[in-house]
C-alpha cells in the first residue's frame, strides 16, 4: 500500500511540474504573438520606421553628404577599421553589390591610416564613402551603436536594418511606416 501511495505522490509531483512548464510556455507564446512574432535579432540597430535625423559629412571625394541625399531607396553601411565582421561584410558586399545606391560611412583609425585607406578604397566600388570620427554626429542621426550596421532607407526612413546581408532578404525598398 505504501508503494502505491508513493507512486501517486510522485505522479502528482510530475504532473504539477508539467503544468508549471505548460503555463510558462503559454505565457511566452502569448508574449511573442503580442510583439508580432520572434523577438528582434539585433537590438543594437535602428528599427524599421526610424526617421534619419539631420546630418552632414564630407565624402572622400570632397562632396558633402546629407539627409537630403537619402531620397528614394538608398542603402547605408557603417564600417569600422579593424572590425572583423566589418571586413567580412564589406567583402560580401563587394562580391555581390546591392542594386540600390550605396553610401558607406567608415570610422577610420588614426593609428592605422593604411588600413583606413584600404577599407575606403574597397567600399568605394559600391558608391559614395565618407570618413567619420568616433563621436561623429552622423552616428546619432542614424542611431548607430554598433559596427557593422547596414540600413536600407527610402526617402530618409529606415525600411530594413541589420548586421548581415541576410537581414535584407525581406527589404523591398518600399517606405516603412514612420515610428
Amino acid at each position: 500500500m505504501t508503494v502505491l501511495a508513493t507512486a501517486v505522490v510522485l505522479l502528482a509531483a510530475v504532473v504539477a511540474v508539467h503544468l508549471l512548464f505548460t503555463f510558462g510556455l503559454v505565457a511566452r507564446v502569448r508574449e511573442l504573438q503580442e510583439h508580432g512574432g520572434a523577438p528582434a535579432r539585433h537590438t543594437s540597430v535602428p528599427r524599421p520606421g526610424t526617421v534619419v535625423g539631420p546630418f552632414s559629412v564630407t565624402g572622400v571625394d570632397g562632396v558633402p553628404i546629407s539627409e537630403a541625399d537619402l531620397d528614394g531607396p538608398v542603402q547605408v553601411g557603417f564600417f569600422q577599421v579593424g572590425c572583423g565582421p566589418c571586413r567580412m561584410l564589406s567583402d560580401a558586399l563587394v562580391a555581390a553589390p546591392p542594386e540600390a545606391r550605396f553610401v558607406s560611412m567608415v570610422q577610420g583609425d588614426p593609428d592605422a591610416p593604411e588600413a583606413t585607406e584600404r577599407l575606403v578604397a574597397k567600399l568605394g566600388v559600391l558608391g559614395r564613402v565618407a570618413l567619420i570620427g568616433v563621436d561623429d554626429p552622423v552616428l546619432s542621426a542614424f542611431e548607430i551603436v554598433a559596427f557593422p550596421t547596414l540600413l536600407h532607407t527610402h526617402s530618409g526612413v529606415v525600411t530594413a536594418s541589420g548586421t548581415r546581408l541576410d537581414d535584407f532578404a525581406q527589404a523591398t525598398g518600399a517606405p516603412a511606416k514612420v515610428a
Side-chain angles (χ1 to χ4, degrees), residues 51-57 63-74 76 101 103 105 128 138 141-142 153-157:
V51 177
V52 176
F55 71 94
S56 181
V57 295
V63 178
I65 302 171
S66 71
E67 69 277 3
D69 295 310
L70 300 180
D71 58 327
V74 180
V76 184
R101 285 183 294 148
V103 177
M105 304 290 180
R128 309 257 335 260
V138 74
F142 283 91
T153 66
H154 195 282
S155 300
V157 177

Side-chain angles (χ1 to χ4, degrees), residues 62-173:
V63 178
I65 302 171
S66 71
E67 69 277 3
D69 295 310
L70 300 180
D71 58 327
V74 180
Q75 288 187 355
V76 184
F78 289 84
F79 304 91
Q80 184 178 49
V81 173
C83 161
C86 297
R87 184 176 51 253
M88 292 187 318
L89 180 60
S90 63
D91 289 342
L93 285 165
V94 169
E99 293 179 21
R101 285 183 294 148
F102 199 87
V103 177
S104 299
M105 304 290 180
V106 176
Q107 187 176 68
D109 183 351
D111 295 331
E114 300 86 17
T116 300
E117 289 177 23
R118 281 193 306 272
L119 183 57
V120 167
K122 182 192 326 184
L123 294 170
V125 301
L126 300 173
R128 309 257 335 260
V129 180
L131 201 53
I132 59 174
V134 174
D135 292 322
D136 200 290
V138 74
L139 297 171
S140 297
F142 283 91
E143 299 180 12
I144 302 300
V145 295
F147 293 96
T149 296
L150 284 177
L151 303 174
H152 189 280
T153 66
H154 195 282
S155 300
V157 177
V158 175
T159 58
S161 61
T163 60
R164 302 176 312 160
L165 287 179
D166 296 347
D167 297 329
F168 290 92
Q170 306 294 328
T172 62

Side-chain angles (χ1 to χ4, degrees), residues 16-36:
V17 169
H18 186 266
L19 278 174
L20 286 175
F21 282 124
T22 301
F23 287 134
L25 180 64
V26 169
R28 180 69 176 146
V29 168
R30 285 186 180 158
E31 178 184 329
L32 289 174
Q33 286 175 340
E34 289 173 7
H35 292 98

